[in-house]
Amino acid sequence: VVYTGVGLSNAAMMTYDAIIQHSPDRIINYGSAGSLKNKSGLLNVAAVCQRDANCEPLRERGFMLGENILYYQSGNSGVRCGSGNNFVTNPDQWTLDHCDIVDMELWAIAKVCDLHKIPWTSMKWISDNAEGEAGNTWEAALAQGQAEFIKWFNSGKCMITVHRDDPTYYKADLYFNKI
């Protein structure tokens, strides 16, 4: 388990470091997200974009200069997540058109996974409605989200076995059924 911290930079650094140290076959991300379209519960993410990437007029919004990827795809069905470095309380029209939910880390995690050719799965707990009251409900929703993620993790859709070849290092094999 790796705690990335909040924000795109922290998520990118910690994901890169975890991949270098542990050579995983898959990354599983869990975190909270705000809903833009009346979503609730624990949701599987199909794709993620960087909602605050705006290089206009040099490039259309959502794309970084020199890159041609708007969405990183998980390979699973689910919602579209928009990542950015701000807590969304008043989403703009671009974000509403391109995203179902918003977070602050997944795009960076998916980008690092893409760089290393490592598949990823992301489960997001809806903690708020990405509106003016979001800051008041976010923290209170976290414990229930963690419990739901653990329930999903142990449901048979994902199983983990840990090998102790070296007592100081744990390598996990992840097995997935269709999510």
Side-chain angles (χ1 to χ4, degrees):
V1 174
V2 175
Y3 176 70
T4 66
V6 177
L8 296 170
S9 297
N10 289 329
M13 289 186 307
M14 296 305 292
T15 302
Y16 184 84
D17 189 50
I19 288 170
I20 297 303
Q21 287 186 29
H22 303 292
S23 303
D25 295 325
R26 175 178 292 271
I27 297 288
I28 300 173
N29 165 254
Y30 165 73
S32 63
S35 175
L36 300 174
K37 302 195 174 136
N38 296 317
K39 305 285 185 185
S40 63
L42 186 66
L43 304 176
N44 200 333
V45 177
V48 62
C49 67
Q50 187 177 8
R51 61 181 160 75
D52 61 2
N54 193 346
C55 297
E56 293 174 321
L58 303 175
R59 189 70 204 255
E60 71 182 272
R61 182 159 171 200
F63 290 93
M64 299 300 291
L65 290 178
E67 297 181 2
N68 291 314
I69 296 173
L70 178 58
Y71 292 101
Y72 286 102
Q73 306 287 333
S74 70
N76 300 316
S77 60
V79 296
R80 297 173 303 161
C81 182
S83 293
N85 277 318
N86 63 319
F87 196 85
V88 176
T89 57
N90 187 20
D92 65 4
Q93 193 59 51
W94 189 95
T95 301
L96 291 169
D97 291 343
H98 290 83
C99 310
D100 302 312
I101 64 173
V102 290
D103 84 334
M104 297 177 65
E105 297 82 27
L106 182 55
W107 182 82
I109 293 167
K111 184 178 177 85
V112 173
C113 287
D114 185 68
L115 174 70
H116 289 277
K117 307 294 185 239
I118 296 174
W120 56 274
T121 295
S122 180
M123 302 300 290
K124 293 293 183 181
W125 176 255
I126 301 304
S127 58
D128 57 78
N129 288 319
E131 36 81 280
E133 293 298 313
N136 298 328
T137 61
W138 176 76
E139 197 164 357
L142 296 182
Q144 184 180 1
Q146 291 168 357
E148 290 299 318
F149 175 74
I150 291 167
K151 191 184 311 179
W152 169 82
F153 192 84
N154 292 327
S155 71
K157 293 181 180 182
C158 175
M159 296 183 303
I160 186 168
T161 57
V162 177
H163 305 283
R164 292 186 179 190
D165 300 334
D166 175 345
T168 63
Y169 176 72
Y170 299 95
K171 177 159 174 83
D173 294 327
L174 299 173
Y175 303 95
F176 287 84
N177 294 330
K178 185 118 177 131
I179 296 174

